[in-house]
Amino acid sequence: MASTADIKNGVVLSIDGQLWSVVEFQHVKPGKGGAFVRTKLKNVISGKVVDRTYNAGAKIDIQNVDRRDYTYLYNDGESFVFMDMADYDQINVPAATVGDAANFMLENQQVTIALHDGLPLYLDLPASVVLEITYTEPGLQGDRSSAGTKAATVETGYEIQVPLFLETGTKVKVDTRTGDYLGRVN
C-alpha cells in the first residue's frame, strides 16, 4: 500500500473496486489542523470526474497500468485487432472499449492502449488524424469558407461538418476528441 505522498498526475488508484486516474492533485497545509491532499479523479472506464480529499499520510491503493503503443490492424466484427510493435503480439479489444475512437481509426494507425492485468482499459488516439472525404454534396461556384457548412462522410464512415467548398476526395484533418473539422491537408 502506498500513501498520499505517492500521488502524481496520471497515477491510477483502485477505489471500491473501480480504477480512477488522477487528473490533478494539490497538497494543502492549512494553518490550523492537519494537512490533506485534494484530488480530481477520472474513472478509467466511464470517464466520470469526481473530487476527493484524503488526509495526509492516508493509505491508498495504486494500480499498475501499462500504456503501450499498438498498430490498428482490422475489425473482425466483434472486436478490434491491434499489434504490439515491440514484440508483434496481437490483442483483441472489444468494440465497447474502443467506443467513439473507431470513427477515427484507419488500418496501420498508431494508438496507445492502457492495459491493467492484461485487460485493455481505454485507447488514446493522436489529437488529430487525416481522413479522406468519400462523399459530400458538390460545391457551387462562390461557396466560401465563411458561408456555412455541409455534411461529409469520411473514409471510416463517420459524418463530419465541413465548409461548403470542399469536395469528395479531399483530405482533411479531424479532431479525434470532438470530431470537428480542423482544415484541409495537401
Side-chain angles (χ1 to χ4, degrees), residues 102-125:
N103 298 327
F104 309 107
M105 287 191 320
L106 293 173
E107 291 181 3
N108 298 321
Q109 181 175 341
Q110 301 292 318
V111 299
T112 303
I113 300 178
L115 300 164
H116 175 66
D117 291 337
L119 294 172
L121 298 174
Y122 60 89
L123 269 71
D124 280 334
L125 290 176

Side-chain angles (χ1 to χ4, degrees), residues 56-72:
K59 299 293 181 203
I60 54 174
D61 188 8
I62 293 181
Q63 296 294 312
N64 184 20
V65 174
D66 188 23
R67 291 176 179 84
R68 300 179 79 173
D69 290 330
Y70 286 85
T71 300
Y72 171 56

Side-chain angles (χ1 to χ4, degrees), residues 78-82 91-98 113 120 123:
E78 299 169 5
S79 62
F80 292 79
V81 180
F82 296 87
I91 182 174
N92 289 5
V93 179
T97 304
V98 174
I113 300 178
L123 269 71

